[in-house]
Amino acid sequence: MKKLGILSALLILFVGTSLQAQNEKDQKIIADAEVAMKSMIAEDQGLEDFFSESAGYVIFPNVGKGGLIVGGASGNGVVYENGSVVGMADLKKLDIGLQAGGQAISEVIFFEDEAALADFKQGEFEFSAQASAVVVKSGKAENAQYKDGVAVFAMPKAGLMAEAAVGGQKFSFKPIQ
């Protein structure tokens, strides 16, 4: 009976620690997303309209990508609805083609309406090979438009990558409890 009590205590401690670590990880990603949002707006004031007028958006503050012929990217992000955090997201990308190098970027996806945001939250959202992001530079956001209910912006952070590749991005969503 004593062994069962010790095992139960260890299990509770392990689960509690895992939940706390997950919350700390999410909190770090949320803090990084806020910094990325401010950096993007500082770089291009036109993004303020997208942040204030979209039904929602997801910010991936740290996306790492790299490749040599076959490439990939991944990152964790924060999903906002009406300006409030509603969940966390993962980004995965795999592509093939002429490419070499590595790069770190911040990426934001704006959802024009509730239907586009709902598709993302239900896991029914992915980008095809034809999708492209507008690079965040002063004045670019003014002329950017939604395509199929989304607008995507990327801001390079570090590294250099040359690519002419075909691939797509897949996403997952986890609501905040």
Side-chain angles (χ1 to χ4, degrees):
M1 188 70 169
K2 189 175 183 179
K3 287 182 182 180
L4 183 59
I6 292 172
L7 241 113
S8 296
L10 286 174
L11 182 62
I12 290 169
L13 179 65
F14 175 74
V15 170
T17 303
S18 295
L19 291 175
Q20 181 65 26
Q22 181 64 41
N23 290 336
E24 288 174 9
K25 179 184 172 193
D26 289 352
Q27 289 172 4
K28 169 86 169 96
I29 295 166
I30 291 168
D32 289 349
E34 295 294 324
V35 170
M37 180 185 348
K38 289 176 184 169
S39 297
M40 289 178 162
I41 292 171
E43 188 68 31
D44 189 339
Q45 292 289 314
L47 286 173
E48 280 185 303
D49 291 340
F50 279 94
F51 280 109
S52 64
E53 296 172 9
S54 66
Y57 48 90
V58 58
I59 301 173
F60 295 96
N62 299 301
V63 177
K65 62 187 226 174
L68 183 60
I69 309 299
V70 175
S74 68
N76 297 306
V78 183
V79 181
Y80 296 81
E81 186 171 359
N82 300 316
S84 298
V85 175
V86 296
M88 305 302 291
D90 291 324
L91 171 154
K92 301 284 186 244
K93 178 182 178 184
L94 181 64
D95 49 28
I96 190 162
L98 186 58
Q99 57 190 317
Q103 190 173 34
I105 65 169
S106 294
E107 181 175 314
V108 61
I109 304 168
F110 293 100
F111 303 101
E112 185 174 25
D113 53 36
E114 294 295 328
L117 179 59
D119 285 348
F120 182 87
K121 288 167 48 178
Q122 292 172 8
E124 298 172 12
F125 188 84
E126 63 182 68
F127 283 134
S128 67
Q130 293 79 26
S132 61
V134 175
V135 176
V136 175
K137 287 186 179 174
S138 185
K140 290 278 191 181
E142 281 183 22
N143 298 321
Q145 297 180 0
Y146 287 98
K147 181 175 174 164
D148 298 326
V150 298
V152 184
F153 294 87
M155 186 172 75
K157 293 173 67 172
L160 182 61
M161 186 161 180
E163 64 181 316
V166 175
Q169 291 184 359
K170 291 186 80 76
F171 304 91
S172 64
F173 170 76
K174 177 186 77 168
I176 296 257
Q177 305 285 313

